[in-house]
Amino acid sequence: MDLTTPLSFIKGIGPSRAAMLQAKGLETVEDLLAYVPFRYEDRSNLKPISHLAPGEMATVVAEVRSARLSGLKRRDLGLFEARFTDSSRAILTGKWFHGGYLANVLIEGLKVALYGKVEFDTYAGELTMLHPEYEILSGAPGDDDGDAPASLHTGRVVPIYEAAGKLTTRMFRVLTHRILAELPPEEDQLPPQLVARLKLPDRSTAIRQTHFPPPESDLRLLNAFRSPAQFRLIFEEFFWLECGVALKRGKARTLPGIAFDLSARVREQIKAMLPFKPTEAQKRVLKEIAEDMNQPRPMNRLLQGDVGSGKTIVAAEAAVIAVENGYQVAVLAPTEILAAQHAFYFKQILSKIGYVTLLLTGSFSAREKSQLKKLVAEGLVQVVVGTHALLQKDVEFKRLGLAIIDEQHRFGVLQRLGMVEKGAHPDVLVMTATPIPRTLAMTLYGDLDVSVIDQLPPGRKPILTKHYTDDRVEQAYSFMKTQIDQGRQAYVVYPVIEESETQAMKAAQKMHQHLSREVFPEIPVGLMHGKLAAPEKESVMQRFKEGALKILVSTTVIEVGVDVPNATVMLIEQAERFGLSQLHQLRGRVGRGGEQSYCLLVTEKMNDAARERIRTLVESTDGFYIAEMDLKLRGPGEFFGTRQSGLPSLRVANILRDPDILEVARREAVDFIARPPSPEALRRAVAYIRDHWNRRYGLVTVG
Ligand code: ADP
Ligand code: MG
């Protein structure tokens, strides 16, 4: 047996278990060993029931004395109650609502470990646990412990694994124990100097002690994932990841690139183009970008700034640097509306200094497209703004020097590379409004340097956010009316669940009729959705911008980038259906001028999570805080849209829980790659990363 042995070869794993394990992504011995306990119970110093105190979390080992199902007749509904007792002869009652299924599981006489919060039921005068976790310790039918000692499950610090359907925590414990008993010790891959200096346990010991902590283990450390063994595994995972990132970054730095000249002429043109005075933060990031563009290697920079912080003008400044040096600029946007918006903005400010800006999206006719492409290929156009259509093979530039990619999280890393291939190592500036912690950003975006705009343009008033339940929607409308009467404009947005733009479009159409005919018959109301043809979209947007339309009813196609400073009301229908970051983005469409702006969140049915989201938005306008809450509520996978974004699939480590270890690992990795103890050590590490980590972490180009 070795790490690559398929789990189906392990005793006790038949075809059906193997299939269930596979569904959880566990196929080999290595996979199973990486499936570490999420919690530990101390079953060596157990408190007798008579010593339990209400309010504490406790583990109890006791016997089922009696059990009953009461309440509704239907088995899956009623309340299941079991009375447990131990040598102290005191009674503890476990209660499970919808617990009918337990009637055949927790039967009289069984020995069980229970874990939960102890409560005192004053009515019955007894100690209870509501929905405790349980584990049957004896005599369960179908148990297949084989050679595993009974002491595996009790009388020690016991690992608790996340169960999944029929895969119980007990089964994981038995299988892992069996594998560890047979598996020869693994060779340690971490550089020995590092292991010695950080006093890390060797890998085999770390794996063993993470699954089966030695008797003297500190339970608090274990449950905080900070025992020496757990630390080593988490550190190791981050270390290799960061080594891969460092290698990739180092490689990018050796490529030849364009050293843009920062002449007096460049400065003059930027001055002539600027419609306003940049903020200190904008000046600082422009300086970082300019210095980077000046270097004779390709720039790979992430420009991060909350919605409305003014990233676009900084991008325009970078564009001026490129164009004045005789190069073309490509601006890639995730949606047609945003592309149109950017094209409009760039045209407006860059035509002042004589540049030609052009929009190219998929919805243009073939003839139009081929004409536009010709202009680009001949170098008659300085700035090309577009959607994915820009990535197509037949879009050729005469001399591409700078690629600007907006809202990076909408594009994959590969698309970024696709853009780069259209020039000879052009500089790349990616922009995102998703404020993520710096270390995380550097890890996620790997080879990117990061610039942050941490200041809003002057005179902005924080947006006031109000919540209305849908029975009070009329109040929200009348508030909107008072703003329109004062000369302002408003958005009304409908949720769109990715796959049902059609449905959202219908809802928006219906609402458009309702608002324009019944609620605001005297006010011009526009309609915008993803299914409109591009010219139509552009004309609706244009009329809203000019103020001919006072209200714009829309699906979430306007989520990013749309910029109409006179709009002060953002009304979001069925706000409970949006994610936090999305709501924050939508809210960012208002508050772009000097006037007080408002976000009105209208909700229908809410669950706890939705309530939490709405509360967060009403309380805060801080994009950083909101992103962190979003990350916490949804987890990193969903937050970044997993694979697409290049988010590494970590197994033992957790970016949210372990940022401190990530920091240490990053430092060590950077140091190791920069000053390896020997060429041989570096060569070994690179080979190891290539073989084991590349695919998983998407570090495609390492080595
Ligand atoms: P985002 O970072 O969300 O892309 P934008 O670049 O769209 O933000 O800028 C938001 C609005 O603020 C735009 O109307 C822009 O013209 C304006 N703006 C940006 N910087 C400044 C500034 N320094 N002073 C005044 N207005 C600014
Ligand atoms: Mg923007």
Side-chain angles (χ1 to χ4, degrees):
M1 183 197 296
D2 65 17
L3 291 174
T4 62
T5 305
L7 287 174
S8 54
F9 290 9
I10 305 297
K11 189 174 141 228
I13 303 186
S16 85
R17 268 190 183 173
M20 284 188 279
L21 288 164
Q22 191 177 16
K24 277 195 83 80
L26 307 175
E27 297 185 20
T28 64
V29 163
E30 185 175 23
D31 295 339
L32 194 68
L33 292 181
Y35 194 75
V36 298
F38 77 103
R39 187 165 73 70
Y40 300 81
E41 281 181 15
D42 187 352
R43 294 186 188 165
S44 56
N45 299 305
L46 289 166
K47 262 194 194 175
I49 294 175
S50 58
H51 283 54
L52 294 177
E56 69 176 335
M57 298 296 295
T59 304
V60 173
V61 171
E63 207 179 284
V64 183
R65 216 173 77 174
S66 63
R68 70 188 181 116
L69 186 60
S70 60
L72 294 162
K73 288 263 166 355
R74 275 186 44 201
R75 291 177 53 80
D76 55 335
L77 292 177
L79 169 70
F80 182 78
E81 285 176 278
R83 290 160 68 78
F84 300 90
T85 187
D86 62 7
S87 55
S88 73
R89 308 184 125 218
I91 297 282
L92 173 74
T93 305
K95 296 184 181 184
W96 287 267
F97 291 102
H98 305 289
Y101 66 97
L102 290 170
N104 295 331
V105 180
L106 293 177
I107 39 185
E108 231 174 280
L110 283 185
K111 199 171 157 199
V112 177
L114 297 168
Y115 172 77
K117 188 170 176 197
V118 181
E119 280 167 274
F120 187 70
D121 181 342
T122 42
Y123 180 71
E126 60 188 16
L127 291 171
T128 62
M129 282 185 180
L130 191 59
H131 288 250
E133 285 179 40
Y134 68 89
E135 182 182 326
I136 296 163
L137 297 175
S138 69
D143 259 0
D144 165 35
D145 273 15
D147 41 5
S151 60
L152 201 55
H153 311 296
T154 177
R156 64 190 300 161
V157 174
V158 176
I160 309 293
Y161 298 86
E162 213 164 292
K166 287 187 176 164
L167 304 171
T168 61
T169 186
R170 182 189 181 95
M171 188 212 81
F172 280 114
R173 195 181 301 136
V174 169
L175 289 176
T176 306
H177 187 263
R178 186 171 299 158
I179 285 171
L180 286 176
E182 282 183 43
L183 192 73
E186 244 181 276
E187 196 192 339
D188 204 328
Q189 301 289 344
L190 278 182
Q193 299 85 343
L194 192 60
V195 173
R197 185 158 49 77
L198 297 181
K199 301 195 174 58
L200 302 174
D202 68 79
R203 180 165 171 86
S204 281
T205 307
I207 290 266
R208 274 155 219 273
Q209 297 195 345
T210 294
H211 286 285
F212 296 100
E216 67 278 11
S217 299
D218 181 334
L219 195 72
R220 256 192 13 254
L221 278 185
L222 279 169
N223 280 326
F225 286 83
R226 288 297 178 275
S227 74
Q230 290 161 311
F231 182 96
R232 143 97 206 204
L233 297 183
I234 294 168
F235 173 87
E236 181 171 14
E237 193 161 36
F238 281 143
F239 179 79
W240 293 124
L241 169 65
E242 294 293 346
C243 278
V245 168
L247 286 168
K248 198 167 151 185
R249 195 182 169 86
K251 195 174 171 192
R253 274 165 199 251
T254 61
L255 293 173
I258 308 158
F260 292 98
D261 194 13
L262 306 173
S263 61
R265 162 94 185 153
V266 170
R267 280 167 227 277
E268 273 162 35
Q269 289 286 67
I270 287 180
K271 246 201 206 136
M273 170 275 288
L274 279 176
F276 41 65
K277 216 168 126 262
T279 61
E280 285 308 311
Q282 285 169 324
K283 282 191 212 159
R284 176 173 40 78
V285 299
L286 178 65
K287 189 158 172 275
E288 290 167 4
I289 292 168
E291 278 168 8
D292 208 352
M293 289 180 73
N294 185 233
Q295 301 297 313
R297 57 168 182 83
M299 170 171 79
N300 272 301
R301 189 167 283 273
L302 178 71
L303 175 56
Q304 193 181 304
D306 205 349
V307 240
S309 62
K311 295 182 289 293
T312 324
I313 195 71
V314 174
E317 291 174 314
V320 173
I321 297 176
V323 174
E324 289 304 318
N325 278 270
Y327 286 89
Q328 289 171 295
V329 177
V331 181
L332 188 62
T335 66
E336 295 223 343
I337 293 182
L338 185 54
Q341 178 83 26
H342 274 327
F344 181 83
Y345 192 91
F346 280 92
K347 239 178 234 169
Q348 203 178 28
I349 56 176
L350 296 177
S351 64
K352 276 193 288 187
I353 53 172
Y355 297 0
V356 180
T357 301
L358 170 156
L359 175 67
L360 183 62
T361 73
S363 60
F364 288 2
S365 75
R367 235 188 79 209
E368 276 173 314
K369 268 191 264 185
S370 77
Q371 279 170 352
L372 295 175
K373 280 177 206 160
K374 205 157 153 249
L375 294 175
V376 178
E378 285 170 1
L380 299 171
V381 172
Q382 282 79 39
V383 179
V384 185
V385 184
T387 53
H388 290 87
L390 278 191
L391 292 166
Q392 268 155 17
K393 270 226 163 56
D394 59 349
V395 179
E396 283 165 20
F397 289 79
K398 176 137 191 268
R399 212 169 173 228
L400 180 63
L402 172 67
I404 296 168
I405 303 176
D406 199 10
E407 301 299 339
Q408 158 77 10
H409 68 287
R410 300 282 185 107
F411 291 104
V413 176
L414 291 177
Q415 280 159 324
R416 199 170 91 213
L417 296 176
M419 203 63 245
V420 167
E421 278 158 14
K422 298 203 175 279
H425 305 301
D427 281 6
V428 176
L429 182 66
V430 301
M431 305 197 282
T432 179
T434 310
I436 39 181
R438 197 181 175 82
T439 323
L440 185 50
M442 293 172 98
T443 299
L444 285 177
Y445 298 118
D447 48 344
L448 298 185
D449 295 299
V450 182
S451 287
V452 183
I453 306 183
D454 51 7
Q455 180 184 25
L456 291 180
R460 293 285 169 80
K461 300 187 180 76
I463 300 164
L464 290 175
T465 301
K466 302 182 187 184
H467 173 215
Y468 298 85
T469 46
D470 65 341
D471 52 327
R472 291 166 53 228
V473 69
E474 298 299 332
Q475 290 175 30
Y477 290 155
S478 68
F479 179 82
M480 205 161 100
K481 177 84 166 41
T482 62
Q483 285 287 304
I484 290 166
D485 288 345
Q486 289 169 36
R488 308 279 93 79
Q489 290 165 278
Y491 299 97
V492 176
V493 176
Y494 270 82
V496 50
I497 324 296
E498 211 79 24
E499 57 277 15
S500 68
E501 165 78 28
T502 315
Q503 220 178 314
M505 174 193 80
K506 282 191 187 139
Q509 275 169 339
K510 224 167 106 190
M511 186 46 66
H512 174 249
Q513 274 191 7
H514 174 63
L515 289 181
S516 59
R517 292 189 191 159
E518 286 150 48
V519 188
F520 305 114
E522 72 290 8
I523 297 174
V525 183
L527 172 66
M528 171 71 85
H529 56 74
K531 300 258 152 102
L532 289 179
E536 219 172 322
K537 275 186 202 155
E538 216 173 329
S539 111
V540 172
M541 240 11 254
Q542 195 52 36
R543 281 191 295 145
F544 187 63
K545 249 185 138 76
E546 288 161 357
L549 294 172
K550 297 295 178 195
I551 298 176
L552 187 62
V553 178
S554 172
T555 60
T556 44
V557 289
I558 62 157
E559 183 188 339
V560 284
V562 170
D563 184 36
V564 179
N566 189 48
T568 57
V569 180
M570 167 60 68
L571 186 150
I572 304 173
E573 298 267 3
Q574 295 174 27
E576 73 276 7
R577 297 173 69 175
F578 292 101
L580 255 186
S581 292
Q582 210 182 3
L583 288 170
H584 180 63
Q585 285 279 341
L586 281 169
R587 179 167 64 177
R589 295 311 108 215
V590 296
R592 308 194 136 229
E595 301 294 336
Q596 177 63 54
S597 290
Y598 304 88
C599 176
L600 315 179
L601 303 172
V602 180
T603 59
E604 286 178 11
K605 284 192 217 94
M606 284 203 286
N607 59 19
D608 288 349
R611 217 163 275 129
E612 184 74 16
R613 291 199 294 272
I614 302 293
R615 196 182 56 74
T616 303
L617 282 160
V618 170
E619 280 173 5
S620 174
T621 53
D622 177 351
F624 196 93
Y625 170 74
I626 288 167
E628 274 189 340
M629 285 300 287
D630 202 17
L631 204 58
K632 281 204 181 109
L633 289 173
R634 290 199 289 166
E638 242 189 283
F639 181 81
F640 294 106
T642 33
R643 304 233 156 261
Q644 243 274 100
S645 63
L647 182 76
S649 46
L650 297 164
R651 301 176 122 176
V652 181
N654 176 324
I655 282 175
L656 288 184
R657 186 192 62 207
D658 310 320
D660 50 336
I661 304 181
L662 175 59
E663 194 68 53
V664 178
R666 181 177 171 79
R667 237 183 4 246
E668 292 294 345
V670 167
D671 191 59
F672 176 77
I673 298 298
R675 284 174 292 278
S678 68
E680 168 60 15
L682 181 63
R683 204 193 50 71
R684 273 188 49 183
V686 171
Y688 179 68
I689 294 168
R690 191 190 298 118
D691 294 349
H692 288 81
W693 299 78
N694 256 5
R695 193 169 39 88
R696 233 167 78 203
Y697 289 169
L699 299 170
V700 201
T701 56
V702 166

